[in-house]
Amino acid sequence: MLCLITSISLCLCYPCLLPVCMERRVEHTKENWEKKMLCTPIPPSHHQGSIAVNLTSSSGVQSYLFPSRYKTELDFQYYLLINQWCYDNVVLSYSRFFPYLILTNSMIFLITSNFWFKFPGTSSKIDQFISCLGKCLNSPWTIKALSETVYEQMPQLSIKVDNSSSVIPSASMLKINELPETPPISQEDTTYIHFEEAEKPKEMSNGTKTLAGAVVDTGETMKILDKKEGEQAKALFEKVKKFRLHTEEKDILYSMYKRQTILRLLEATAFMAYVSYYTPRMKYVVHCVEPLNITGYTNYYCIHSLWRMFSMLSIGYLFVLCIYTCICFYTVSWIFYYKLKEYSFETIRKESGIDDIPDVTNDFAFLLHLIDQYDKLYSWKFAVFLSDVSETKLLQVNLNHYWNQEKLKQCLTINSQGKTELRLCRMPGIPTQVFDLVEIEVLKLDTISSTTLTAAISNLRLLKELWVTDSKVNVETQALIFLQKNIEILRVNFSKPDEVPSWMYNLSCLQELYISGRLQLENKITIVLQPFKDLTQLKFLSLKLYTPIIPPAVLDLVYTLRSLTIHNETCKLSSVTNLKKFTNLINLRLLYCQLDRIPSSVFSLVKLQNLDLSNNSLSSLVELASFQQLKNLVCLRLSNNKISAIPPHIAKLASLEILYISRNQLTEISVAVFKLTRLSHLDVSNNEICILPTEIGQLVNLEYLSVSHNRLTSLPNHLFSCIKLQTLILSHNHISVISPLIGELIQLTYLDIMDNKLEKLPAELEKCSYLKRNQLLVEKEVFDTLPQDVKEKMKTSTNNGASA
């Protein structure tokens, strides 16, 4: 439309600009005289001897009387003067400047129509959008994603794409013609499906799947993108996401376009009004009165020679303005009738099966509305790059391309328990080839952004243990059925609410569950664990949650749970009264709970065998008097507390076999400890003990003793009465002499006497036949004080053991 107006203006200006090209002055004046105005004087006595001449003017037919055979005796220069004077003073200004008015109007339309496209705040967004759109249309992933969706959603295959092109000025302004053509869909990239009736897939002899008259080619259609195409598509996803975040912040495009359209409508209306007003007032014959009487005549009748052409062009220009005004009016109504700041992909979501395409707002929505006016298929293909599901599929394709089966086999390891283990760390998903490694027994998913376990996991029949660390893992129905029957050990470590797997509450065969994270996040979001009532086989539960109370969900396991560990990460566990309900509990560990006393609820756990209260703030053990009810207690761990004394009540723990009370503030060991004749392990290291009582000889079943990092200066001879002792740790003390009675410890296999004040070792160490050189930790110069035969015997034993 603007080009048409400009062309008309140039055509109209051409007669006025033509004289500039004349070479001779005479021809210039003659041309100017002929094209602009022709005037003739009227004498006062024009009534005598005159004839009637009919002249048609713009207002109708009028009759003028001109004298016959009348000579004016005017020179040619007078005629030129009068013509020019009458043209400048009598002819309508609209008629005189018509070409320049049309040219000015065209320039105004041109500027106001393209200002929004040249404005820095809008042009950059439009250029970037056109660039993204072009790359999305040409990306091979667009067709692949849609074809895979069609294959997965076969019963709902009914895609109708509206290719109608309803062009309004906005489409042309967006330079749609500069976009690349939509890539043709080749036979290799398309899945051809024809449905007559939905039935279950059947296998044909040629390997294709059928659906009662439907033939699905699953060969070339599902081919994997090459690495370069996959990386390009991945980069395009990031570019579209960033562009969306940038354009959805403001509505400058929409506001600018709306104001510009309203301005163009007002301009077109104003131009059409004054053109409609002045066009009928243009005259062919005008009456000119020259008041100066330079030539001797005052009245002239003049003919405007360009009147006919200007009149016709003015009417044509008025017609063009009407069309342009109607288009502007339609555009304004389109802007205000439709919600151009909101764009919904509801139709595309239903037809494509990609459910997570988000609706957009502000400038991003406005640009998509403009694209729809040109071709709705563009928005269809652009929507593929707004979907997280589509991006996940792309990442999966790239992941499968990089992690083939051979590479995954190289990552298999054997853990300390002798199980085959595979750890997947910092991946966008799980490679499908993982499910072909049937030897996997332990699967670790570490920092997996988002993935879904499909029915293919059922191929891992040996899988018993699953780790989910800082990963968002979803599970399909068939996969959940497999996990319910096979998974016995689950470890979950989360840092975000969506990383807590909801499917873990349905693992009915689960026996061990380890949960680590924080229920109270920094942004004041509280994570609530769902009930554990369906975990009927759960025997071991470990919670590392940083919570002041025991989660209520754990109470569903009061009858089935055998072992409970609460690691509270130095957060004070203020309420533990619910512990008394776990009457079947055998093992209880309360670590880093900031306990200042032993909880009274522990006394009700009559079946308890192992109690670990390490890494707390215990300063007193007066509650040990109530431990006589725990007749089955075998192991008591109180390390890393603030205990300064062991009360006599500890002697009531007659069944105690293991006592760890290291890293406290003990200055002596209570004699009551040595009344625990069943004690096999005693650790009092990292205290301030100066003397080891002689009553230690009563521990006839002692196999492990650690008194390192204390202040001992000597060892009582009664210690060597503990002939079952296998491990003796005496390092970092002030011992100067080792008694020859050490030879009575014939079962000793490990001796650590580093960092003492020893000068020599007794030769009786020869009797400790199980003690090897590498299990005797002592300074070399002290070891060299042993007789040569003893040293050779220890070294020989070491070498034999190494060879074995």
Side-chain angles (χ1 to χ4, degrees):
M1 181 65 67
L2 294 175
C3 294
L4 177 61
I5 296 174
T6 306
S7 300
I8 295 174
S9 302
L10 293 177
C11 292
L12 296 177
C13 290
Y14 178 74
C16 298
L17 298 177
L18 184 61
V20 180
C21 301
M22 297 299 178
E23 297 180 355
R24 292 178 299 177
R25 185 170 181 273
V26 176
E27 293 180 353
H28 165 70
T29 54
K30 183 178 180 181
E31 184 71 18
N32 187 49
W33 171 66
E34 291 178 352
K35 292 297 182 181
K36 289 185 177 181
M37 184 68 67
L38 296 175
C39 298
T40 181
I42 305 298
S45 59
H46 67 280
H47 297 286
Q48 299 177 358
S50 62
I51 59 174
V53 180
N54 291 332
L55 299 176
T56 304
S57 68
S58 60
S59 59
V61 179
Q62 297 180 359
S63 178
Y64 298 95
L65 297 177
F66 289 91
S68 60
R69 296 179 303 276
Y70 177 75
K71 293 184 180 181
T72 61
E73 296 181 358
L74 295 178
D75 292 335
F76 181 72
Q77 287 78 8
Y78 284 136
Y79 281 106
L80 293 179
L81 178 63
I82 294 303
N83 290 344
Q84 186 64 43
W85 192 93
C86 291
Y87 180 80
D88 293 336
N89 294 277
V90 180
V91 176
L92 190 66
S93 298
Y94 175 79
S95 180
R96 285 188 291 120
F97 299 107
F98 177 75
Y100 304 102
L101 289 174
I102 302 304
L103 180 61
T104 303
N105 293 351
S106 301
M107 293 301 296
I108 292 174
F109 281 133
L110 188 63
I111 293 173
T112 56
S113 298
N114 290 275
F115 178 75
W116 80 303
F117 192 73
K118 301 299 181 183
F119 184 70
T122 58
S123 61
S124 59
K125 290 184 179 180
I126 296 174
D127 291 339
Q128 190 175 0
F129 178 71
I130 297 299
S131 175
C132 289
L133 184 60
K135 292 178 180 179
C136 290
L137 298 180
N138 286 331
S139 175
W141 176 248
T142 306
I143 296 176
K144 178 171 178 60
L146 293 177
S147 64
E148 284 189 349
T149 303
V150 169
Y151 178 73
E152 294 173 358
Q153 304 289 335
M154 287 187 296
Q156 292 81 20
L157 185 68
S158 177
I159 301 177
K160 298 179 181 180
V161 181
D162 186 4
N163 292 328
S164 61
S165 177
S166 177
V167 182
I168 62 172
S170 57
S172 60
M173 292 176 191
L174 268 179
K175 296 185 178 180
I176 297 299
N177 293 328
E178 296 182 7
L179 290 175
E181 292 292 334
T182 303
I185 302 177
S186 63
Q187 187 174 0
E188 294 181 352
D189 296 326
T190 309
T191 303
Y192 293 97
I193 304 176
H194 172 68
F195 287 97
E196 293 180 359
E197 184 178 359
E199 292 186 1
K200 296 182 179 180
K202 301 178 181 179
E203 289 289 338
M204 297 179 63
S205 59
N206 58 0
T208 59
K209 295 182 179 180
T210 65
L211 289 173
V215 180
V216 183
D217 183 8
T218 60
E220 293 296 327
T221 59
M222 296 302 158
K223 64 181 182 180
I224 299 177
L225 300 177
D226 59 35
K227 184 177 180 180
K228 182 178 179 181
E229 291 174 340
E231 292 298 326
Q232 290 176 348
K234 183 179 178 180
L236 190 55
F237 268 104
E238 293 298 323
K239 187 174 183 179
V240 171
K241 282 184 177 180
K242 292 181 180 178
F243 177 74
R244 177 192 170 192
L245 292 175
H246 177 61
T247 53
E248 278 193 314
E249 292 177 354
K250 300 179 180 179
D251 60 348
I252 184 173
L253 277 175
Y254 172 78
S255 300
M256 186 71 71
Y257 184 74
K258 180 177 69 175
R259 295 169 184 172
Q260 171 191 291
T261 306
I262 295 175
L263 178 61
R264 285 187 297 157
L265 178 61
L266 295 177
E267 290 172 352
T269 304
F271 294 161
M272 187 173 61
Y274 83 75
V275 171
S276 301
Y277 177 80
Y278 284 110
T279 298
R281 286 166 174 75
M282 296 174 63
K283 295 181 179 181
Y284 179 42
V285 176
V286 294
H287 180 214
C288 178
V289 178
E290 194 271 306
L292 298 179
N293 197 11
I294 297 175
T295 60
Y297 299 91
T298 57
N299 293 319
Y300 296 87
Y301 281 101
C302 304
I303 296 176
H304 185 203
S305 58
L306 296 178
W307 166 81
R308 190 176 303 278
M309 181 178 64
F310 283 2
S311 297
M312 296 176 61
L313 291 177
S314 182
I315 294 174
Y317 180 66
L318 187 61
F319 177 74
V320 172
L321 277 178
C322 290
I323 298 176
Y324 186 81
T325 304
C326 292
I327 294 176
C328 291
F329 181 78
Y330 171 76
T331 306
V332 171
S333 62
W334 176 72
I335 291 175
F336 286 97
Y337 180 76
Y338 294 96
K339 297 180 179 179
L340 300 184
K341 294 175 65 175
E342 300 176 2
Y343 190 92
S344 175
F345 289 98
E346 182 66 26
T347 303
I348 299 178
R349 287 195 292 264
K350 290 181 180 179
E351 295 180 351
S352 67
I354 305 177
D355 298 330
D356 68 328
I357 302 176
D359 295 337
V360 296
T361 58
N362 289 337
D363 281 346
F364 195 46
F366 176 64
L367 290 172
L368 291 174
H369 278 293
L370 295 182
I371 290 298
D372 277 349
Q373 297 301 313
Y374 183 78
D375 194 336
K376 291 186 177 181
L377 183 60
Y378 286 170
S379 297
W380 239 81
K381 294 188 174 183
F382 193 72
V384 171
F385 291 89
L386 295 172
S387 167
D388 291 336
V389 171
S390 176
E391 184 178 10
T392 302
K393 288 183 178 180
L394 172 64
L395 295 176
Q396 188 67 43
V397 169
N398 291 335
L399 196 64
N400 295 339
H401 188 272
Y402 181 78
W403 290 96
N404 52 40
Q405 191 169 0
E406 295 181 358
K407 193 169 183 179
L408 288 170
K409 282 186 176 180
Q410 297 175 1
C411 298
L412 292 176
T413 58
I414 305 298
N415 62 16
S416 58
Q417 299 176 351
K419 296 180 180 180
T420 303
E421 177 182 299
L422 176 63
R423 181 171 180 250
L424 304 177
C425 182
R426 298 185 182 278
M427 291 186 179
I430 301 177
T432 55
Q433 289 84 353
V434 168
F435 305 120
D436 295 331
L437 304 177
V438 295
E439 61 268 35
I440 296 178
E441 298 177 82
V442 180
L443 180 60
K444 295 183 177 181
L445 306 179
D446 189 354
T447 320
I448 306 295
S449 56
S450 180
T451 188
T452 300
L453 295 178
T454 63
I457 197 176
S458 59
N459 296 332
L460 308 180
R461 298 181 180 180
L462 300 178
L463 183 65
K464 299 297 180 182
E465 184 174 348
L466 181 61
W467 295 46
V468 180
T469 304
D470 294 330
S471 303
K472 183 179 180 181
V473 180
N474 299 317
V475 176
E476 293 182 354
T477 303
Q478 294 298 323
L480 181 58
I481 295 175
F482 169 80
L483 296 178
Q484 287 176 336
K485 296 179 180 179
N486 289 267
I487 296 299
E488 298 177 354
I489 302 175
L490 176 64
R491 298 177 182 267
V492 177
N493 191 333
F494 65 90
S495 57
K496 300 178 181 178
D498 57 354
E499 293 175 354
V500 181
S502 58
W503 44 267
M504 74 176 180
Y505 304 103
N506 299 319
L507 303 181
S508 54
C509 292
L510 193 64
Q511 297 181 11
E512 297 182 19
L513 176 59
Y514 302 81
I515 302 178
S516 178
R518 290 200 172 195
L519 296 182
Q520 185 70 41
L521 302 182
E522 295 179 357
N523 51 3
K524 297 184 179 180
I525 296 178
T526 302
I527 300 176
V528 179
L529 296 179
Q530 299 180 21
F532 291 152
K533 59 183 180 180
D534 292 333
L535 305 182
T536 56
Q537 302 297 322
L538 192 64
K539 300 294 188 297
F540 184 95
L541 177 61
S542 176
L543 302 176
K544 190 176 180 181
L545 298 175
Y546 196 84
T547 175
I549 61 173
I550 299 176
V554 180
L555 299 179
D556 294 328
L557 306 172
V558 292
Y559 300 112
T560 60
L561 206 60
R562 297 292 182 269
S563 179
L564 175 61
T565 299
I566 299 179
H567 189 299
N568 222 31
E569 297 184 355
T570 68
C571 176
K572 185 175 179 59
L573 190 63
S574 58
S575 177
V576 290
T577 55
N578 292 330
L579 284 177
K580 61 183 179 181
K581 298 181 180 180
F582 295 85
T583 54
N584 294 322
L585 208 60
I586 295 177
N587 302 312
L588 175 62
R589 302 180 67 201
L590 301 177
L591 311 177
Y592 296 95
C593 296
Q594 294 295 311
L595 298 176
D596 51 9
R597 56 186 297 272
I598 299 177
S600 59
S601 55
V602 175
F603 310 145
S604 302
L605 308 178
V606 294
K607 294 184 179 180
L608 196 64
Q609 297 180 7
N610 299 284
L611 176 61
D612 191 349
L613 299 176
S614 302
N615 300 284
N616 282 287
S617 301
L618 301 177
S619 59
S620 174
L621 298 178
V622 295
E623 293 85 1
L624 289 178
S626 303
F627 270 41
Q628 59 184 349
Q629 302 177 27
L630 306 180
K631 297 181 180 180
N632 296 314
L633 189 64
V634 175
C635 177
L636 178 61
R637 299 175 185 268
L638 301 170
S639 300
N640 201 10
N641 278 282
K642 300 177 181 180
I643 302 172
S644 58
I646 302 176
H649 309 297
I650 197 171
K652 297 181 180 181
L653 303 178
S655 59
L656 199 63
E657 298 179 3
I658 300 174
L659 176 61
Y660 284 79
I661 195 168
S662 62
R663 297 185 183 278
N664 279 279
Q665 301 174 6
L666 296 176
T667 57
E668 62 179 0
I669 302 178
S670 174
V671 178
V673 174
F674 306 116
K675 296 180 180 181
L676 304 174
T677 56
R678 293 187 180 183
L679 207 62
S680 62
H681 287 68
L682 177 61
D683 188 349
V684 290
S685 61
N686 290 276
N687 282 283
E688 299 178 3
I689 300 173
C690 298
I691 300 175
L692 199 59
T694 58
E695 287 81 2
I696 194 172
Q698 300 176 16
L699 303 180
V700 295
N701 293 311
L702 194 63
E703 298 176 0
Y704 176 95
L705 175 62
S706 176
V707 289
S708 64
H709 294 85
N710 279 283
R711 299 180 180 180
L712 296 177
T713 57
S714 62
L715 298 175
N717 292 335
H718 297 78
L719 171 64
F720 306 110
S721 301
C722 306
I723 59 176
K724 292 185 179 181
L725 202 61
Q726 299 178 9
T727 300
L728 180 58
I729 303 176
L730 304 171
S731 62
H732 298 87
N733 280 284
H734 305 289
I735 302 173
S736 58
V737 177
I738 298 294
S739 174
L741 296 176
I742 196 172
E744 298 181 6
L745 304 179
I746 57 176
Q747 297 187 25
L748 192 64
T749 59
Y750 185 89
L751 176 61
D752 184 2
I753 50 177
M754 292 286 292
D755 290 315
N756 278 283
K757 296 182 179 181
L758 297 173
E759 295 181 358
K760 65 177 182 177
L761 293 177
E764 285 75 10
L765 279 175
E766 180 183 8
K767 298 179 181 180
C768 302
S769 57
Y770 293 103
L771 187 62
K772 316 302 179 185
R773 175 64 185 95
N774 58 353
Q775 295 173 331
L776 173 59
L777 303 184
V778 67
E779 290 83 357
K780 184 178 182 303
E781 58 272 14
V782 179
F783 177 76
D784 290 340
T785 61
L786 288 172
Q788 187 64 29
D789 58 337
V790 177
K791 292 191 294 182
E792 292 295 333
K793 184 178 180 180
M794 283 189 175
K795 290 181 179 180
T796 304
S797 300
T798 302
N799 294 334
N800 292 338
S803 300

